[in-house]
Amino acid sequence: MSKEALFNVLNNHFNFDELKVLDLFSGTGNISYEFASRGSQNITSVDADFGCVKFIKQTAAEFDFNIAAIKSDVLQYIGRCNSVYDIIFADPPYGFDQKTFESIVVAVFQNNLLDAEGMMIIEHSKYTKLDHLEHFSFKKSYGGSIFSFFEINPAEEE
């Protein structure tokens, strides 16, 4: 339900087949597959778990999705990445502390990874608060999950 609602929001802002997507803490690749199935041709999935990266590579090959799966610590990847993305989606473990969640958002903007018209989405629990951070645009709640949206020039949305 939350994933469907997320993609309804994104569908109002983007043409999927033109997107360059970065999926952080990608796990088994669920979000990457959703972008690929909607026509996105340039997707990078980053996860620290070798098994997850291997699974994403196998699944992407099976369905002929253009997904580059990279095994890396996400914060290290953000620090050395020199690409710019239209969409950056991050689903860190809910057990991360507040400061770690904040550092992910800050690092993305400090390293200029988001396109001027792009959007970063970070999934988190209701116990994590991100709306005080620079570039925060809006949030959507779905059950126990919250999606916080960030933009270089946030528009007033709800």
Side-chain angles (χ1 to χ4, degrees):
M1 181 176 103
S2 62
K3 185 171 50 173
E4 183 178 337
L6 168 66
F7 279 90
N8 285 339
V9 170
L10 294 177
N11 197 42
N12 290 325
H13 292 277
F14 298 101
N15 183 355
F16 287 101
D17 59 357
E18 298 173 359
L19 293 180
K20 185 173 181 182
V21 178
L22 177 61
D23 182 6
L24 301 172
F25 304 96
S26 54
T28 59
N30 198 353
I31 291 294
S32 292
Y33 309 141
E34 288 293 331
F35 278 105
S37 70
R38 286 170 167 78
S40 297
Q41 296 294 314
N42 192 338
I43 303 164
T44 303
S45 298
V46 180
D47 200 277
D49 184 87
F50 175 76
C52 288
V53 171
K54 182 179 176 186
F55 182 80
I56 293 169
K57 286 180 180 182
Q58 291 171 338
T59 304
E62 182 180 333
F63 289 98
D64 198 28
F65 289 155
N66 188 20
I67 301 173
I70 298 171
K71 183 190 176 307
S72 177
D73 173 87
V74 167
L75 285 171
Q76 289 177 6
Y77 181 83
I78 292 170
R80 70 175 184 267
C81 181
N82 58 10
S83 292
V84 176
Y85 298 91
D86 301 300
I87 297 279
I88 299 174
F89 181 85
D91 183 9
Y94 281 17
F96 278 6
D97 62 19
Q98 175 77 28
K99 193 173 194 104
T100 303
F101 272 90
E102 292 174 2
S103 69
I104 295 163
V105 176
V106 169
V108 163
F109 286 97
Q110 280 181 342
N111 291 295
N112 300 310
L113 301 185
L114 191 63
D115 182 78
E117 301 299 316
M119 190 175 282
M120 177 182 185
I121 305 103
I122 188 161
E123 184 175 349
H124 56 91
S125 77
K126 64 182 179 181
Y127 302 107
T128 301
K129 306 295 183 210
L130 301 175
D131 50 354
H132 64 283
L133 295 174
E134 186 177 8
H135 303 293
F136 175 82
S137 184
F138 63 101
K139 66 183 175 184
K140 299 281 187 179
S141 300
Y142 303 100
S145 296
I146 296 176
F147 293 113
S148 288
F149 295 79
F150 296 85
E151 299 174 84
I152 290 177
N153 298 305
E156 292 295 318
E157 293 191 42
E158 256 322 292

